[in-house]
Amino acid sequence: MARRSQTEVAVLGALSVAPMTGYAVREAIRDVLGHFWSESFGQIYPTLAALEGEGYVRRVDKAAPYELTGVGEARLKELLAEPAQRVPPRNGLMLRLFFGRQLGPEACRALLRDALGDARRQLSEYAAPRAAVSAEGGADAPYALITIAAGEHTARAAIAWAEESLAELGES
Amino acid sequence: MARRSQTEVAVLGALSVAPMTGYAVREAIRDVLGHFWSESFGQIYPTLAALEGEGYVRRVDKAAPYELTGVGEARLKELLAEPAQRVPPRNGLMLRLFFGRQLGPEACRALLRDALGDARRQLSEYAAPRAAVSAEGGADAPYALITIAAGEHTARAAIAWAEESLAELGES
DNA sequence: CCGGGCATGTAACGCGTTACATGATTCG
DNA sequence: CGAATCATGTAACGCGTTACATGCCCGG
């Protein structure tokens, strides 16, 4: 039995915030959840069609945005309560560093410098959404802040790790 | 063009440490790289067959372990030098927490407690390999230690984040 | 001698991306 | 009017997991 798709969760979740078109669902996922989730059109449209067939979402006419139905909201709660699928890890950076001897110290330092830059940029990118969510408040704010905090902690850990590892590889 | 598989990198990398059977490749990947990489038999055997056909690995007879050839080692260096594929993020825990309002505070605290336990266990699991690699030394040791350090930093960050977030959700 | 670990493979399946096709609307 | 963006979909493809099938060998 293959891993079950969690696309429905993401799509229903997006529609639970506000009714929107499939296109907008993708924008929302990219912009708001982009740091820990992604969906492509090839997933979103078939999923929306299936959800519509099951009565979890509806649109008043073929050109209107999708909106969540009552059963749809119940379905979302149900799916959220299921245990999160854990994806088998596949970290290409670590794979390369682990076999770093084959690659040479300078190339590894380059990888670490890239990772450091990425982590710093990511950390800076959390400032804006954090400020926006804090200012806006609302019942969803605490939960959004928790996911933002996760990103910040992860980014800071990556920064500390990369700096430390660069020093150990005889930072040039 | 679909994302390129990095299975070859992992398999050639494993064989660069020592000749071994396909079964042992999987054991090695699971035990040594398990925290940041995984491969299944369904990937390993076809990949080994393909690599053999291209002359990157060989076995003296059909029952012998696979070993890396000269071109195979060159191929590994080549593949390691390619930029790491970045996998689109899919973090089911964050997805659930982001829509935590639908799920309710208590269920979210349960998720965080689970995550905290996982992170603590993971952190403790790095102690043994760190000691082993440190004691053994060797040219590969610095690189292995870097990947272990990454796991430790990540785990500590997860612990701090989970504790902090539990407090914010009114830790009961 | 039989159960469990070692060992090799393959078939089926679902997931997700990418690319393509098409059309409407908006804005400069 | 032409380009960019919004919008909806589909087809093809590769990746990776899971499950199944098979056989060997060793220790109890």
Side-chain angles (χ1 to χ4, degrees), chain B residues 75-124:
Chain B
R75 177 68 176 153
L76 172 59
K77 288 178 205 287
E78 196 181 311
L79 289 174
L80 285 172
E82 288 181 3
Q85 306 277 353
R86 62 179 58 230
V87 180
R90 257 160 179 250
N91 187 325
L93 173 62
M94 292 304 155
L95 190 62
R96 278 160 180 78
L97 287 174
F98 188 86
F99 298 115
R101 209 182 109 235
Q102 311 288 329
L103 198 48
E106 179 40 36
C108 289
R109 283 194 293 266
L111 286 175
L112 286 167
R113 278 190 294 265
D114 280 0
L116 181 56
D118 285 355
R120 284 191 176 134
R121 189 169 22 74
Q122 271 198 33
L123 184 56
S124 73

mmCIF file of all heavy atoms in Angstrom, chain B residues 75-124:
data_model
loop_
_atom_site.group_PDB
_atom_site.id
_atom_site.type_symbol
_atom_site.label_atom_id
_atom_site.label_comp_id
_atom_site.label_asym_id
_atom_site.label_seq_id
_atom_site.Cartn_x
_atom_site.Cartn_y
_atom_site.Cartn_z
ATOM 1 N N ARG B 75 32.891 8.204 -11.847
ATOM 2 C CA ARG B 75 31.476 8.535 -12.008
ATOM 3 C C ARG B 75 30.893 9.080 -10.707
ATOM 4 O O ARG B 75 30.117 10.023 -10.705
ATOM 5 C CB ARG B 75 30.725 7.275 -12.449
ATOM 6 C CG ARG B 75 29.232 7.425 -12.582
ATOM 7 C CD ARG B 75 28.861 8.327 -13.707
ATOM 8 N NE ARG B 75 27.408 8.385 -13.891
ATOM 9 C CZ ARG B 75 26.782 9.432 -14.407
ATOM 10 N NH1 ARG B 75 27.465 10.499 -14.772
ATOM 11 N NH2 ARG B 75 25.482 9.415 -14.555
ATOM 12 N N LEU B 76 31.279 8.458 -9.589
ATOM 13 C CA LEU B 76 30.801 8.926 -8.292
ATOM 14 C C LEU B 76 31.226 10.368 -8.045
ATOM 15 O O LEU B 76 30.402 11.209 -7.667
ATOM 16 C CB LEU B 76 31.337 8.014 -7.180
ATOM 17 C CG LEU B 76 31.089 8.475 -5.745
ATOM 18 C CD1 LEU B 76 29.597 8.634 -5.461
ATOM 19 C CD2 LEU B 76 31.696 7.503 -4.735
ATOM 20 N N LYS B 77 32.485 10.650 -8.291
ATOM 21 C CA LYS B 77 32.967 12.025 -8.093
ATOM 22 C C LYS B 77 32.173 12.997 -8.962
ATOM 23 O O LYS B 77 31.804 14.098 -8.538
ATOM 24 C CB LYS B 77 34.461 12.107 -8.437
ATOM 25 C CG LYS B 77 35.378 11.434 -7.413
ATOM 26 C CD LYS B 77 36.840 11.529 -7.862
ATOM 27 C CE LYS B 77 37.713 10.430 -7.276
ATOM 28 N NZ LYS B 77 38.024 10.569 -5.866
ATOM 29 N N GLU B 78 31.905 12.564 -10.190
ATOM 30 C CA GLU B 78 31.148 13.394 -11.131
ATOM 31 C C GLU B 78 29.743 13.679 -10.594
ATOM 32 O O GLU B 78 29.280 14.817 -10.604
ATOM 33 C CB GLU B 78 31.064 12.609 -12.448
ATOM 34 C CG GLU B 78 30.658 13.379 -13.671
ATOM 35 C CD GLU B 78 30.597 12.420 -14.863
ATOM 36 O OE1 GLU B 78 31.576 11.661 -15.067
ATOM 37 O OE2 GLU B 78 29.559 12.409 -15.566
ATOM 38 N N LEU B 79 29.096 12.613 -10.112
ATOM 39 C CA LEU B 79 27.723 12.780 -9.625
ATOM 40 C C LEU B 79 27.692 13.623 -8.354
ATOM 41 O O LEU B 79 26.783 14.429 -8.147
ATOM 42 C CB LEU B 79 27.088 11.408 -9.347
ATOM 43 C CG LEU B 79 26.746 10.575 -10.573
ATOM 44 C CD1 LEU B 79 26.277 9.187 -10.164
ATOM 45 C CD2 LEU B 79 25.671 11.265 -11.404
ATOM 46 N N LEU B 80 28.689 13.422 -7.500
ATOM 47 C CA LEU B 80 28.730 14.202 -6.260
ATOM 48 C C LEU B 80 28.905 15.689 -6.562
ATOM 49 O O LEU B 80 28.425 16.544 -5.814
ATOM 50 C CB LEU B 80 29.880 13.717 -5.375
ATOM 51 C CG LEU B 80 29.678 12.389 -4.654
ATOM 52 C CD1 LEU B 80 30.966 11.955 -3.976
ATOM 53 C CD2 LEU B 80 28.561 12.498 -3.627
ATOM 54 N N ALA B 81 29.589 15.976 -7.668
ATOM 55 C CA ALA B 81 29.853 17.378 -8.005
ATOM 56 C C ALA B 81 28.614 18.069 -8.553
ATOM 57 O O ALA B 81 28.527 19.291 -8.555
ATOM 58 C CB ALA B 81 30.995 17.463 -9.011
ATOM 59 N N GLU B 82 27.640 17.277 -9.031
ATOM 60 C CA GLU B 82 26.409 17.899 -9.523
ATOM 61 C C GLU B 82 25.645 18.522 -8.366
ATOM 62 O O GLU B 82 25.719 18.045 -7.239
ATOM 63 C CB GLU B 82 25.524 16.845 -10.201
ATOM 64 C CG GLU B 82 26.065 16.394 -11.541
ATOM 65 C CD GLU B 82 25.136 15.372 -12.193
ATOM 66 O OE1 GLU B 82 24.074 15.084 -11.621
ATOM 67 O OE2 GLU B 82 25.495 14.875 -13.284
ATOM 68 N N PRO B 83 24.917 19.588 -8.647
ATOM 69 C CA PRO B 83 24.154 20.219 -7.565
ATOM 70 C C PRO B 83 23.123 19.268 -6.978
ATOM 71 O O PRO B 83 22.498 18.501 -7.712
ATOM 72 C CB PRO B 83 23.474 21.410 -8.243
ATOM 73 C CG PRO B 83 23.503 21.108 -9.698
ATOM 74 C CD PRO B 83 24.722 20.255 -9.930
ATOM 75 N N ALA B 84 22.950 19.321 -5.671
ATOM 76 C CA ALA B 84 21.978 18.460 -4.998
ATOM 77 C C ALA B 84 20.567 18.842 -5.434
ATOM 78 O O ALA B 84 20.239 20.015 -5.531
ATOM 79 C CB ALA B 84 22.130 18.592 -3.483
ATOM 80 N N GLN B 85 19.765 17.826 -5.752
ATOM 81 C CA GLN B 85 18.358 18.066 -6.071
ATOM 82 C C GLN B 85 17.647 18.507 -4.805
ATOM 83 O O GLN B 85 17.710 17.821 -3.803
ATOM 84 C CB GLN B 85 17.712 16.772 -6.572
ATOM 85 C CG GLN B 85 18.427 16.119 -7.722
ATOM 86 C CD GLN B 85 18.055 16.728 -9.056
ATOM 87 O OE1 GLN B 85 17.161 17.569 -9.110
ATOM 88 N NE2 GLN B 85 18.734 16.341 -10.097
ATOM 89 N N ARG B 86 16.966 19.617 -4.883
ATOM 90 C CA ARG B 86 16.197 19.965 -3.692
ATOM 91 C C ARG B 86 14.774 19.456 -3.830
ATOM 92 O O ARG B 86 14.060 19.758 -4.778
ATOM 93 C CB ARG B 86 16.260 21.444 -3.373
ATOM 94 C CG ARG B 86 15.707 22.386 -4.407
ATOM 95 C CD ARG B 86 15.840 23.840 -3.909
ATOM 96 N NE ARG B 86 17.222 24.193 -3.624
ATOM 97 C CZ ARG B 86 17.628 24.758 -2.492
ATOM 98 N NH1 ARG B 86 16.759 25.013 -1.537
ATOM 99 N NH2 ARG B 86 18.894 25.082 -2.307
ATOM 100 N N VAL B 87 14.378 18.640 -2.892
ATOM 101 C CA VAL B 87 13.060 18.026 -2.897
ATOM 102 C C VAL B 87 12.032 19.046 -2.419
ATOM 103 O O VAL B 87 12.258 19.726 -1.434
ATOM 104 C CB VAL B 87 13.058 16.815 -1.956
ATOM 105 C CG1 VAL B 87 11.702 16.152 -1.934
ATOM 106 C CG2 VAL B 87 14.140 15.826 -2.374
ATOM 107 N N PRO B 88 10.917 19.167 -3.136
ATOM 108 C CA PRO B 88 9.859 20.060 -2.663
ATOM 109 C C PRO B 88 9.432 19.655 -1.264
ATOM 110 O O PRO B 88 9.220 18.481 -0.991
ATOM 111 C CB PRO B 88 8.735 19.870 -3.670
ATOM 112 C CG PRO B 88 9.144 18.770 -4.577
ATOM 113 C CD PRO B 88 10.585 18.550 -4.417
ATOM 114 N N PRO B 89 9.291 20.627 -0.359
ATOM 115 C CA PRO B 89 9.022 20.314 1.045
ATOM 116 C C PRO B 89 7.624 19.748 1.237
ATOM 117 O O PRO B 89 6.670 20.160 0.575
ATOM 118 C CB PRO B 89 9.155 21.674 1.725
ATOM 119 C CG PRO B 89 8.803 22.666 0.682
ATOM 120 C CD PRO B 89 9.282 22.080 -0.608
ATOM 121 N N ARG B 90 7.522 18.772 2.132
ATOM 122 C CA ARG B 90 6.213 18.206 2.463
ATOM 123 C C ARG B 90 6.243 17.733 3.898
ATOM 124 O O ARG B 90 6.531 16.593 4.188
ATOM 125 C CB ARG B 90 5.900 17.035 1.533
ATOM 126 C CG ARG B 90 4.930 17.477 0.498
ATOM 127 C CD ARG B 90 4.826 16.702 -0.711
ATOM 128 N NE ARG B 90 3.779 17.368 -1.499
ATOM 129 C CZ ARG B 90 2.599 16.859 -1.723
ATOM 130 N NH1 ARG B 90 2.284 15.694 -1.249
ATOM 131 N NH2 ARG B 90 1.714 17.516 -2.426
ATOM 132 N N ASN B 91 5.924 18.655 4.779
ATOM 133 C CA ASN B 91 6.015 18.375 6.206
ATOM 134 C C ASN B 91 4.621 18.254 6.807
ATOM 135 O O ASN B 91 3.959 19.249 7.094
ATOM 136 C CB ASN B 91 6.821 19.506 6.865
ATOM 137 C CG ASN B 91 7.118 19.206 8.311
ATOM 138 O OD1 ASN B 91 6.308 18.599 8.995
ATOM 139 N ND2 ASN B 91 8.276 19.620 8.766
ATOM 140 N N GLY B 92 4.183 17.019 6.977
ATOM 141 C CA GLY B 92 2.822 16.771 7.447
ATOM 142 C C GLY B 92 2.536 17.325 8.827
ATOM 143 O O GLY B 92 1.409 17.737 9.108
ATOM 144 N N LEU B 93 3.558 17.352 9.680
ATOM 145 C CA LEU B 93 3.363 17.917 11.018
ATOM 146 C C LEU B 93 3.029 19.397 10.946
ATOM 147 O O LEU B 93 2.075 19.876 11.576
ATOM 148 C CB LEU B 93 4.630 17.691 11.852
ATOM 149 C CG LEU B 93 4.669 18.357 13.213
ATOM 150 C CD1 LEU B 93 3.552 17.830 14.110
ATOM 151 C CD2 LEU B 93 6.025 18.161 13.869
ATOM 152 N N MET B 94 3.819 20.127 10.138
ATOM 153 C CA MET B 94 3.579 21.574 10.016
ATOM 154 C C MET B 94 2.222 21.850 9.390
ATOM 155 O O MET B 94 1.509 22.768 9.783
ATOM 156 C CB MET B 94 4.673 22.213 9.153
ATOM 157 C CG MET B 94 6.036 22.206 9.786
ATOM 158 S SD MET B 94 6.018 23.000 11.410
ATOM 159 C CE MET B 94 7.414 22.191 12.152
ATOM 160 N N LEU B 95 1.872 21.040 8.398
ATOM 161 C CA LEU B 95 0.573 21.215 7.750
ATOM 162 C C LEU B 95 -0.540 21.113 8.781
ATOM 163 O O LEU B 95 -1.487 21.904 8.787
ATOM 164 C CB LEU B 95 0.408 20.139 6.673
ATOM 165 C CG LEU B 95 -0.774 20.280 5.720
ATOM 166 C CD1 LEU B 95 -0.661 21.557 4.916
ATOM 167 C CD2 LEU B 95 -0.864 19.077 4.800
ATOM 168 N N ARG B 96 -0.422 20.147 9.671
ATOM 169 C CA ARG B 96 -1.452 19.960 10.698
ATOM 170 C C ARG B 96 -1.453 21.106 11.698
ATOM 171 O O ARG B 96 -2.509 21.597 12.117
ATOM 172 C CB ARG B 96 -1.242 18.623 11.393
ATOM 173 C CG ARG B 96 -1.847 17.494 10.588
ATOM 174 C CD ARG B 96 -1.313 16.146 10.924
ATOM 175 N NE ARG B 96 -1.963 15.139 10.095
ATOM 176 C CZ ARG B 96 -1.651 14.919 8.823
ATOM 177 N NH1 ARG B 96 -0.701 15.631 8.241
ATOM 178 N NH2 ARG B 96 -2.298 14.013 8.137
ATOM 179 N N LEU B 97 -0.270 21.529 12.102
ATOM 180 C CA LEU B 97 -0.213 22.609 13.087
ATOM 181 C C LEU B 97 -0.715 23.929 12.497
ATOM 182 O O LEU B 97 -1.366 24.712 13.180
ATOM 183 C CB LEU B 97 1.225 22.774 13.596
ATOM 184 C CG LEU B 97 1.685 21.652 14.527
ATOM 185 C CD1 LEU B 97 3.161 21.816 14.862
ATOM 186 C CD2 LEU B 97 0.847 21.633 15.801
ATOM 187 N N PHE B 98 -0.416 24.129 11.202
ATOM 188 C CA PHE B 98 -0.848 25.386 10.587
ATOM 189 C C PHE B 98 -2.367 25.509 10.620
ATOM 190 O O PHE B 98 -2.914 26.586 10.852
ATOM 191 C CB PHE B 98 -0.347 25.467 9.146
ATOM 192 C CG PHE B 98 -0.589 26.803 8.523
ATOM 193 C CD1 PHE B 98 0.314 27.830 8.688
ATOM 194 C CD2 PHE B 98 -1.734 27.036 7.776
ATOM 195 C CE1 PHE B 98 0.088 29.071 8.127
ATOM 196 C CE2 PHE B 98 -1.974 28.281 7.213
ATOM 197 C CZ PHE B 98 -1.054 29.301 7.392
ATOM 198 N N PHE B 99 -3.048 24.399 10.369
ATOM 199 C CA PHE B 99 -4.512 24.406 10.448
ATOM 200 C C PHE B 99 -4.966 23.920 11.826
ATOM 201 O O PHE B 99 -6.032 23.312 11.975
ATOM 202 C CB PHE B 99 -5.091 23.538 9.341
ATOM 203 C CG PHE B 99 -4.750 24.044 7.972
ATOM 204 C CD1 PHE B 99 -3.943 23.305 7.120
ATOM 205 C CD2 PHE B 99 -5.219 25.280 7.547
ATOM 206 C CE1 PHE B 99 -3.618 23.787 5.861
ATOM 207 C CE2 PHE B 99 -4.892 25.764 6.286
ATOM 208 C CZ PHE B 99 -4.087 25.017 5.441
ATOM 209 N N GLY B 100 -4.151 24.219 12.826
ATOM 210 C CA GLY B 100 -4.383 23.714 14.173
ATOM 211 C C GLY B 100 -5.712 24.150 14.779
ATOM 212 O O GLY B 100 -6.257 23.461 15.647
ATOM 213 N N ARG B 101 -6.215 25.272 14.330
ATOM 214 C CA ARG B 101 -7.490 25.736 14.880
ATOM 215 C C ARG B 101 -8.595 24.724 14.593
ATOM 216 O O ARG B 101 -9.458 24.475 15.439
ATOM 217 C CB ARG B 101 -7.852 27.092 14.275
ATOM 218 C CG ARG B 101 -8.699 27.930 15.221
ATOM 219 C CD ARG B 101 -9.091 29.241 14.597
ATOM 220 N NE ARG B 101 -10.508 29.280 14.282
ATOM 221 C CZ ARG B 101 -10.981 29.545 13.068
ATOM 222 N NH1 ARG B 101 -10.155 29.773 12.050
ATOM 223 N NH2 ARG B 101 -12.282 29.591 12.868
ATOM 224 N N GLN B 102 -8.578 24.117 13.404
ATOM 225 C CA GLN B 102 -9.569 23.091 13.061
ATOM 226 C C GLN B 102 -9.406 21.850 13.924
ATOM 227 O O GLN B 102 -10.340 21.086 14.111
ATOM 228 C CB GLN B 102 -9.434 22.684 11.586
ATOM 229 C CG GLN B 102 -9.364 23.833 10.605
ATOM 230 C CD GLN B 102 -10.693 24.527 10.441
ATOM 231 O OE1 GLN B 102 -11.738 23.889 10.567
ATOM 232 N NE2 GLN B 102 -10.671 25.824 10.202
ATOM 233 N N LEU B 103 -8.176 21.652 14.396
ATOM 234 C CA LEU B 103 -7.844 20.411 15.077
ATOM 235 C C LEU B 103 -8.065 20.532 16.577
ATOM 236 O O LEU B 103 -8.355 19.555 17.267
ATOM 237 C CB LEU B 103 -6.376 20.087 14.780
ATOM 238 C CG LEU B 103 -5.870 18.668 15.000
ATOM 239 C CD1 LEU B 103 -6.794 17.651 14.373
ATOM 240 C CD2 LEU B 103 -4.462 18.543 14.440
ATOM 241 N N GLY B 104 -7.937 21.733 17.077
ATOM 242 C CA GLY B 104 -8.105 21.964 18.508
ATOM 243 C C GLY B 104 -6.783 21.971 19.245
ATOM 244 O O GLY B 104 -5.851 21.276 18.857
ATOM 245 N N PRO B 105 -6.713 22.758 20.339
ATOM 246 C CA PRO B 105 -5.446 22.948 21.058
ATOM 247 C C PRO B 105 -4.893 21.650 21.641
ATOM 248 O O PRO B 105 -3.687 21.420 21.573
ATOM 249 C CB PRO B 105 -5.816 23.921 22.182
ATOM 250 C CG PRO B 105 -7.113 24.521 21.784
ATOM 251 C CD PRO B 105 -7.804 23.534 20.922
ATOM 252 N N GLU B 106 -5.766 20.818 22.185
ATOM 253 C CA GLU B 106 -5.245 19.622 22.844
ATOM 254 C C GLU B 106 -4.583 18.680 21.842
ATOM 255 O O GLU B 106 -3.492 18.153 22.097
ATOM 256 C CB GLU B 106 -6.357 18.893 23.604
ATOM 257 C CG GLU B 106 -5.927 17.622 24.299
ATOM 258 C CD GLU B 106 -4.549 17.704 24.979
ATOM 259 O OE1 GLU B 106 -4.192 18.767 25.524
ATOM 260 O OE2 GLU B 106 -3.820 16.685 24.950
ATOM 261 N N ALA B 107 -5.220 18.487 20.686
ATOM 262 C CA ALA B 107 -4.616 17.628 19.664
ATOM 263 C C ALA B 107 -3.286 18.200 19.191
ATOM 264 O O ALA B 107 -2.334 17.457 18.927
ATOM 265 C CB ALA B 107 -5.577 17.468 18.486
ATOM 266 N N CYS B 108 -3.210 19.521 19.104
ATOM 267 C CA CYS B 108 -1.950 20.151 18.695
ATOM 268 C C CYS B 108 -0.872 19.926 19.742
ATOM 269 O O CYS B 108 0.287 19.662 19.406
ATOM 270 C CB CYS B 108 -2.151 21.640 18.452
ATOM 271 S SG CYS B 108 -3.106 21.988 16.964
ATOM 272 N N ARG B 109 -1.254 20.051 20.994
ATOM 273 C CA ARG B 109 -0.260 19.776 22.050
ATOM 274 C C ARG B 109 0.222 18.336 21.969
ATOM 275 O O ARG B 109 1.405 18.056 22.159
ATOM 276 C CB ARG B 109 -0.870 20.076 23.428
ATOM 277 C CG ARG B 109 -0.926 21.568 23.745
ATOM 278 C CD ARG B 109 -1.215 21.811 25.221
ATOM 279 N NE ARG B 109 -2.564 21.383 25.581
ATOM 280 C CZ ARG B 109 -3.627 22.175 25.597
ATOM 281 N NH1 ARG B 109 -3.503 23.449 25.264
ATOM 282 N NH2 ARG B 109 -4.804 21.707 25.943
ATOM 283 N N ALA B 110 -0.696 17.421 21.653
ATOM 284 C CA ALA B 110 -0.285 16.017 21.509
ATOM 285 C C ALA B 110 0.725 15.870 20.369
ATOM 286 O O ALA B 110 1.733 15.166 20.500
ATOM 287 C CB ALA B 110 -1.506 15.140 21.256
ATOM 288 N N LEU B 111 0.446 16.549 19.256
ATOM 289 C CA LEU B 111 1.396 16.488 18.134
ATOM 290 C C LEU B 111 2.760 17.005 18.563
ATOM 291 O O LEU B 111 3.802 16.431 18.232
ATOM 292 C CB LEU B 111 0.876 17.335 16.964
ATOM 293 C CG LEU B 111 -0.281 16.773 16.150
ATOM 294 C CD1 LEU B 111 -0.748 17.784 15.120
ATOM 295 C CD2 LEU B 111 0.139 15.479 15.465
ATOM 296 N N LEU B 112 2.750 18.111 19.308
ATOM 297 C CA LEU B 112 4.020 18.708 19.736
ATOM 298 C C LEU B 112 4.750 17.811 20.718
ATOM 299 O O LEU B 112 5.977 17.691 20.672
ATOM 300 C CB LEU B 112 3.760 20.086 20.359
ATOM 301 C CG LEU B 112 3.424 21.181 19.342
ATOM 302 C CD1 LEU B 112 2.867 22.420 20.034
ATOM 303 C CD2 LEU B 112 4.670 21.542 18.537
ATOM 304 N N ARG B 113 3.981 17.172 21.611
ATOM 305 C CA ARG B 113 4.629 16.258 22.557
ATOM 306 C C ARG B 113 5.273 15.090 21.821
ATOM 307 O O ARG B 113 6.384 14.669 22.144
ATOM 308 C CB ARG B 113 3.616 15.770 23.594
ATOM 309 C CG ARG B 113 3.389 16.758 24.731
ATOM 310 C CD ARG B 113 2.575 16.130 25.861
ATOM 311 N NE ARG B 113 1.213 15.814 25.443
ATOM 312 C CZ ARG B 113 0.163 16.622 25.637
ATOM 313 N NH1 ARG B 113 0.328 17.790 26.255
ATOM 314 N NH2 ARG B 113 -1.033 16.255 25.243
ATOM 315 N N ASP B 114 4.567 14.581 20.810
ATOM 316 C CA ASP B 114 5.157 13.512 19.994
ATOM 317 C C ASP B 114 6.443 13.980 19.328
ATOM 318 O O ASP B 114 7.461 13.279 19.333
ATOM 319 C CB ASP B 114 4.167 13.065 18.906
ATOM 320 C CG ASP B 114 3.128 12.112 19.451
ATOM 321 O OD1 ASP B 114 3.192 11.803 20.660
ATOM 322 O OD2 ASP B 114 2.247 11.681 18.678
ATOM 323 N N ALA B 115 6.362 15.164 18.738
ATOM 324 C CA ALA B 115 7.538 15.687 18.037
ATOM 325 C C ALA B 115 8.700 15.865 19.013
ATOM 326 O O ALA B 115 9.856 15.580 18.684
ATOM 327 C CB ALA B 115 7.193 17.018 17.367
ATOM 328 N N LEU B 116 8.364 16.322 20.216
ATOM 329 C CA LEU B 116 9.402 16.500 21.240
ATOM 330 C C LEU B 116 10.052 15.173 21.594
ATOM 331 O O LEU B 116 11.282 15.057 21.652
ATOM 332 C CB LEU B 116 8.762 17.144 22.473
ATOM 333 C CG LEU B 116 9.653 17.456 23.675
ATOM 334 C CD1 LEU B 116 10.820 18.344 23.263
ATOM 335 C CD2 LEU B 116 8.848 18.124 24.783
ATOM 336 N N GLY B 117 9.229 14.168 21.793
ATOM 337 C CA GLY B 117 9.771 12.840 22.103
ATOM 338 C C GLY B 117 10.633 12.304 20.979
ATOM 339 O O GLY B 117 11.739 11.796 21.219
ATOM 340 N N ASP B 118 10.143 12.456 19.737
ATOM 341 C CA ASP B 118 10.931 12.002 18.590
ATOM 342 C C ASP B 118 12.284 12.698 18.552
ATOM 343 O O ASP B 118 13.318 12.055 18.331
ATOM 344 C CB ASP B 118 10.175 12.303 17.283
ATOM 345 C CG ASP B 118 9.024 11.344 17.058
ATOM 346 O OD1 ASP B 118 8.868 10.404 17.862
ATOM 347 O OD2 ASP B 118 8.282 11.534 16.077
ATOM 348 N N ALA B 119 12.264 13.994 18.741
ATOM 349 C CA ALA B 119 13.514 14.758 18.644
ATOM 350 C C ALA B 119 14.481 14.342 19.745
ATOM 351 O O ALA B 119 15.684 14.207 19.506
ATOM 352 C CB ALA B 119 13.220 16.260 18.726
ATOM 353 N N ARG B 120 13.964 14.142 20.930
ATOM 354 C CA ARG B 120 14.851 13.716 22.024
ATOM 355 C C ARG B 120 15.450 12.351 21.740
ATOM 356 O O ARG B 120 16.638 12.119 21.966
ATOM 357 C CB ARG B 120 14.061 13.670 23.337
ATOM 358 C CG ARG B 120 13.799 15.046 23.914
ATOM 359 C CD ARG B 120 13.262 14.951 25.342
ATOM 360 N NE ARG B 120 13.091 16.273 25.928
ATOM 361 C CZ ARG B 120 12.013 16.673 26.600
ATOM 362 N NH1 ARG B 120 10.992 15.838 26.761
ATOM 363 N NH2 ARG B 120 11.955 17.888 27.106
ATOM 364 N N ARG B 121 14.629 11.443 21.235
ATOM 365 C CA ARG B 121 15.139 10.114 20.927
ATOM 366 C C ARG B 121 16.188 10.188 19.826
ATOM 367 O O ARG B 121 17.261 9.599 19.926
ATOM 368 C CB ARG B 121 13.983 9.190 20.522
ATOM 369 C CG ARG B 121 14.395 7.740 20.397
ATOM 370 C CD ARG B 121 13.209 6.808 20.264
ATOM 371 N NE ARG B 121 12.006 7.470 19.776
ATOM 372 C CZ ARG B 121 11.798 7.865 18.526
ATOM 373 N NH1 ARG B 121 12.717 7.645 17.613
ATOM 374 N NH2 ARG B 121 10.660 8.453 18.195
ATOM 375 N N GLN B 122 15.883 10.967 18.800
ATOM 376 C CA GLN B 122 16.852 11.122 17.718
ATOM 377 C C GLN B 122 18.177 11.654 18.232
ATOM 378 O O GLN B 122 19.247 11.156 17.872
ATOM 379 C CB GLN B 122 16.303 12.074 16.662
ATOM 380 C CG GLN B 122 15.485 11.367 15.599
ATOM 381 C CD GLN B 122 15.324 12.228 14.359
ATOM 382 O OE1 GLN B 122 16.206 13.001 13.994
ATOM 383 N NE2 GLN B 122 14.174 12.094 13.720
ATOM 384 N N LEU B 123 18.093 12.682 19.076
ATOM 385 C CA LEU B 123 19.329 13.271 19.598
ATOM 386 C C LEU B 123 20.153 12.222 20.327
ATOM 387 O O LEU B 123 21.374 12.132 20.157
ATOM 388 C CB LEU B 123 18.997 14.433 20.532
ATOM 389 C CG LEU B 123 20.186 15.219 21.084
ATOM 390 C CD1 LEU B 123 21.052 15.764 19.951
ATOM 391 C CD2 LEU B 123 19.728 16.361 21.976
ATOM 392 N N SER B 124 19.479 11.394 21.099
ATOM 393 C CA SER B 124 20.207 10.373 21.858
ATOM 394 C C SER B 124 20.813 9.329 20.921
ATOM 395 O O SER B 124 21.858 8.751 21.218
ATOM 396 C CB SER B 124 19.264 9.694 22.851
ATOM 397 O OG SER B 124 18.379 8.830 22.168
#
